[in-house]
Amino acid sequence: MSLDEFFVTGDPMIFASQIAIGLTMVGLIALITYLKRWKWLWSEWFTTVDHKKIGIMYILAGVLMFFRGGVDGLLMKAQTSRPEMGILDAQHYDEIFTTHGVIMILFMAMPLLIGIMNVVVPLQIGARDVAFPKLNALSFWLFFVAAMLFNISFVIGGSPDAGWTSYFPLAGKEFTPGVGNNYYAISLQIAGIGTLATGINFVVTIIKMRAPGMSWMKMPIFVWTTFITSIIIVAAFPIFTVALLYMTLDRLFGTHFFTVAAGGDPMLWLNLFWLWGHPEVYIVVLPAFGMFSEVIATFARKNLYGYKSMVYAVAGIAFLSMLVWVHHFYTMGNSATVNSIFSLTTMMIAIPTGVKIFNWLFTLRKGRIEFSTSMLWALAFIPCFTIGGVTGVMLAMAAADYQYHNTMFLVAHFHYVLIPGVVFAVFAGLYYWWPKMFGFKLNEKIGKWHFWLFVIGFNLTFMPMFFVGLDGMSRRMYTYAESTGWGAWLGFSAVGSLIMAAGFAALVYNIYWSFRYASRKVGNDPWNARTLEWATASPAPHYNFAKVPEVDRLDDFWYKKKKGETGLKKSDLKPVHMPSNSWTPIVLAAAFGVVGFFLVFEWFTLAIIASVGIVVGLVANTFDYDDGYHIPVDELEEEEREWRGDLK
């Protein structure tokens, strides 16, 4: 392979990116070396098994991927802002919309949600960590290595270009002979292993590690949505892993699972992909529903209306999510009977979703509503997500879908589902739980600028796409003629994307300003909240709770603090057992990344040699007999006095 084939050349934007990446890496290494922070990073972050630090690293990676995917989105909007624009050629546009979709769903939404789950769920159930702390660290590093592997594709080898769904036969070697779609197959398999491990970890954690007295119907609703989401992960991700394995075998070893000429079937890929893909929508949306529920209940100053019906509705959505995948390809040769069945199951999801909407509305009814930034995101979610839901019902009708399918109407629909249903929730959750992670609030005034810019920009960006879609504009069109009449609508859409970008910039500035200037005197419960994470210090200590709390009812912390029963007796303190840091997760993940890189370029000998690193890491882990350490009572007492004052 020549150097020109290894590095992507010939595009000024990519060349500028290569220079920027190189300078950034050199600058970052130089800064860390100058500050003498390598040892601190290794001991405090790279080898940590603390669920809170792992969650923060997920969130940081998710914000970086939000920026990366957002730049792709801005480039697409710039290209389609006017007729016959020449900012991107057809090939580059294909690569941009492919990486935009993959990054935003798998490398932005997933880590942001899993990061908040990592920080919050063990605290909400009164646990000191997750069930398998080392596996939790491995999950993060596998995700991170996969994200880096996927993202280097646009400067080394070439980006995938068959869409985020990577349909065959387009994604096969015959039509895309470069290594771009190898990046897709390999990196998503590595990330999928980490996500599957996360799902298993949270299922076990929630089943086995709840505080004494916390029965199923006393769990916070966010714990419920995390638990049900984790079950979907365990059910759906193995399907995607098998599909990606078949894709890898087809592309790297010449098998024919999806090749028609050799007896394969491209529709097999579609079925496997969407058997995972539609549950994936609920994997990212259901935790968001839990976040909104916590925020709305807290700032309405009421308990969540219809708690049990909310739990049953979430479980119903999870069940139905596995029965609707065919609605993604009504137009691809199914019989009328098959389409009708899946049309019915798809529309049935609107029933439990509607239940949740009314749960939130009735929680707000007669509440003493505080319009914090978190609450504004939750309130904006309801009408915006409803638009996404109603257009989803339109798309669920198989006969009508022949008009909507593969148009910008569909693109607008899923952005109206995923941005209010995931991004708004992440923003609400970050503003809400930020004090628990860092010990200070994000600035509310800057937060409201972030809110209004992003929400206005979002609607201005995606509402026009409904109209050009109904007027016949196909998705993935990189240019169009002036005679179509779409220029004005898409111009407004491009302006909206710039306003959204300004909103994201406001969030970044808010984080910077708050780190420098925000008051650190926020207390353990700055929002007067209802759940157990607010019963401990802000930021939460590494042991979470000096004494594992006992739970008597739903929203137990709320009622106990009203009665003044949240204190801690010195006599209750006992040594706390905690897991030790470990180097094996980051080293194992790095080995996976090296093997994956060699497989992308089909350097099989080097991949086999590098895979020895994975084996060595696994063997070394089996001989790790470190049982952790104990925090003595004196240290616990000192840390608890810092925020409680005197102990009883």
Side-chain angles (χ1 to χ4, degrees):
M1 175 178 285
S2 67
L3 203 60
D4 283 349
E5 293 175 311
F6 185 73
F7 289 106
V8 178
T9 58
D11 188 302
M13 282 191 289
I14 293 178
F15 181 65
S17 298
Q18 290 168 334
I19 294 173
I21 290 169
L23 292 176
T24 301
M25 293 300 296
V26 170
L28 193 59
I29 292 169
L31 179 64
I32 295 171
T33 304
Y34 174 76
L35 296 174
K36 299 179 179 179
R37 285 292 191 173
W38 286 110
K39 184 177 180 181
W40 174 80
L41 282 173
W42 179 260
S43 61
E44 294 294 324
W45 293 95
F46 292 169
T47 60
T48 187
V49 295
D50 183 344
H51 69 96
K52 299 177 291 299
K53 289 183 177 180
I54 290 170
I56 290 168
M57 289 193 291
Y58 267 119
I59 291 167
L60 178 60
V63 171
L64 290 173
M65 290 297 102
F66 201 157
F67 171 77
R68 166 72 175 86
V71 170
D72 284 345
L74 289 173
L75 287 171
M76 286 190 289
K77 285 299 173 187
Q79 169 63 24
T80 58
S81 61
R82 300 299 304 155
E84 299 177 6
M85 290 286 279
I87 298 172
L88 302 173
D89 60 28
Q91 176 61 27
H92 199 176
Y93 191 83
D94 287 351
E95 295 173 359
I96 290 289
F97 73 65
T98 300
T99 56
H100 172 76
V102 174
I103 287 170
M104 286 303 204
I105 292 173
L106 290 166
F107 296 133
M108 182 279 288
M110 290 290 286
L112 285 171
L113 292 164
I114 290 174
I116 294 174
M117 288 158 57
N118 257 288
V119 171
V120 175
V121 168
L123 291 167
Q124 284 198 333
I125 63 173
R128 292 204 168 103
D129 210 310
V130 294
F132 308 114
K134 194 184 293 186
L135 183 64
N136 197 27
L138 178 61
S139 296
F140 167 74
W141 288 113
L142 286 172
F143 147 75
F144 185 77
V145 164
M148 295 303 101
L149 180 62
F150 185 85
N151 275 277
I152 64 170
S153 64
F154 81 103
V155 293
I156 298 176
S159 294
D161 58 0
W164 88 274
T165 55
S166 208
Y167 281 179
F168 280 79
L170 178 60
K173 211 64 175 287
E174 180 183 358
F175 294 100
T176 50
V179 300
N181 289 308
N182 293 353
Y183 274 112
Y184 178 99
I186 302 297
S187 62
L188 295 195
Q189 281 183 85
I190 295 172
I193 294 169
T195 304
L196 180 60
T198 296
I200 294 168
N201 213 341
F202 275 107
V203 168
V204 177
T205 299
I206 293 169
I207 290 175
K208 301 294 291 184
M209 299 184 69
R210 302 193 306 277
M214 184 179 282
S215 61
W216 289 104
M217 285 301 171
K218 294 175 186 173
M219 295 195 313
I221 196 68
F222 182 53
V223 177
W224 263 114
T225 57
T226 298
F227 178 67
I228 292 172
T229 296
S230 299
I231 292 173
I232 303 175
I233 287 173
V234 173
F237 262 84
I239 301 171
F240 193 37
T241 301
V242 169
L244 290 168
L245 175 62
Y246 289 169
M247 179 181 183
T248 303
L249 293 173
D250 272 15
R251 289 191 56 84
L252 271 61
F253 300 103
T255 60
H256 299 286
F257 290 100
F258 308 122
T259 308
V260 175
D265 186 357
M267 290 300 295
L268 174 62
W269 169 264
L270 266 71
N271 279 278
L272 291 174
F273 181 90
W274 287 115
L275 267 168
W276 162 81
H278 200 82
E280 167 66 12
V281 173
Y282 295 100
I283 287 169
V284 295
V285 166
L286 291 184
F289 289 166
M291 292 181 204
F292 286 129
S293 300
E294 302 289 356
V295 168
I296 289 171
T298 294
F299 293 108
R301 305 301 174 205
K302 288 175 63 181
N303 62 309
L304 183 66
Y305 180 89
Y307 168 86
K308 289 186 178 180
S309 65
M310 178 75 84
V311 171
Y312 298 143
V314 172
I317 288 173
F319 175 72
L320 289 171
S321 74
M322 303 295 292
L323 303 176
V324 298
W325 77 94
V326 172
H327 72 218
H328 292 279
F329 44 93
Y330 284 143
T331 61
M332 298 187 186
N334 303 313
S335 69
T337 301
V338 169
N339 279 354
S340 297
I341 291 170
F342 283 93
S343 180
L344 184 61
T345 58
T346 303
M347 286 188 278
M348 285 174 65
I349 287 188
I351 299 170
T353 305
V355 168
K356 294 195 302 299
I357 297 290
F358 284 106
N359 285 140
W360 293 317
L361 293 176
F362 281 119
T363 303
L364 293 167
R365 180 176 178 265
K366 296 186 178 180
R368 298 187 302 277
I369 298 173
E370 178 185 339
F371 292 98
S372 67
T373 304
S374 294
M375 188 61 154
L376 290 176
W377 286 110
L379 294 174
F381 151 77
I382 295 174
C384 292
F385 185 79
T386 300
I387 293 172
V390 169
T391 53
V393 173
M394 294 171 65
L395 287 158
M397 295 182 286
D401 188 61
Y402 276 77
Q403 174 66 32
Y404 309 134
H405 187 72
N406 225 33
T407 69
M408 283 296 187
F409 185 92
L410 173 62
V411 176
H413 153 72
F414 66 68
H415 280 87
Y416 263 91
V417 169
L418 291 177
I419 293 181
V422 178
V423 178
F424 286 16
V426 166
F427 290 154
L430 286 179
Y431 281 94
Y432 182 60
W433 281 300
W434 195 269
K436 194 53 58 179
M437 290 186 275
F438 298 105
F440 60 89
K441 295 180 181 179
L442 291 173
N443 183 275
E444 285 286 301
K445 184 176 181 180
I446 303 173
K448 289 180 171 60
W449 274 101
H450 168 211
F451 168 78
W452 286 111
L453 286 169
F454 199 91
V455 172
I456 291 170
F458 159 71
N459 282 284
L460 188 56
T461 300
F462 295 105
M463 186 61 73
M465 294 166 70
F466 284 119
F467 299 106
V468 295
L470 290 175
D471 198 32
M473 183 177 184
S474 298
R475 64 196 299 190
R476 302 168 179 161
M477 287 179 65
Y478 85 102
T479 190
Y480 55 94
E482 188 172 357
S483 59
T484 59
W486 301 334
W489 287 115
L490 295 174
F492 281 124
S493 182
V495 171
S497 68
L498 293 174
I499 298 173
M500 283 180 72
F504 179 77
L507 170 66
V508 174
Y509 176 70
N510 198 353
I511 293 171
Y512 162 78
W513 189 96
S514 300
F515 262 105
R516 291 202 62 181
Y517 304 114
S519 171
R520 266 54 178 177
K521 297 178 181 179
V522 296
N524 66 299
D525 183 24
W527 308 119
N528 191 21
R530 311 181 73 85
T531 44
L532 277 181
E533 72 270 30
W534 305 103
T536 190
S538 297
H542 56 291
Y543 53 82
N544 290 354
F545 300 95
K547 176 181 180 292
V548 173
E550 296 182 8
V551 173
D552 300 321
R553 60 190 299 180
L554 181 65
D555 292 343
D556 189 71
F557 171 64
W558 170 268
Y559 293 101
K560 284 182 176 175
K561 73 180 175 182
K562 297 303 178 186
K563 297 177 182 178
E565 298 175 359
T566 58
L568 179 68
K569 295 179 182 179
K570 184 177 177 180
S571 59
D572 290 334
L573 295 178
K574 297 179 181 178
V576 172
H577 178 263
M578 296 298 294
S580 300
N581 286 0
S582 176
W583 57 268
T584 50
I586 187 172
V587 172
L588 265 175
F592 269 98
V594 173
V595 172
F597 182 79
F598 290 149
L599 286 176
V600 164
F601 286 92
E602 301 178 28
W603 297 337
F604 299 122
T605 303
L606 291 175
I608 292 169
I609 295 170
S611 65
V612 173
I614 299 175
V615 176
V616 170
L618 292 171
V619 171
N621 187 64
T622 64
F623 290 98
D624 183 1
Y625 298 116
D626 188 339
D627 291 328
Y629 64 98
H630 285 85
I631 304 171
V633 170
D634 291 345
E635 184 179 333
L636 291 173
E637 184 179 346
E638 182 181 349
E639 288 206 36
E640 291 298 303
R641 285 187 189 278
E642 285 184 12
W643 69 275
R644 290 181 184 270
D646 202 13
L647 302 182
K648 294 181 181 179

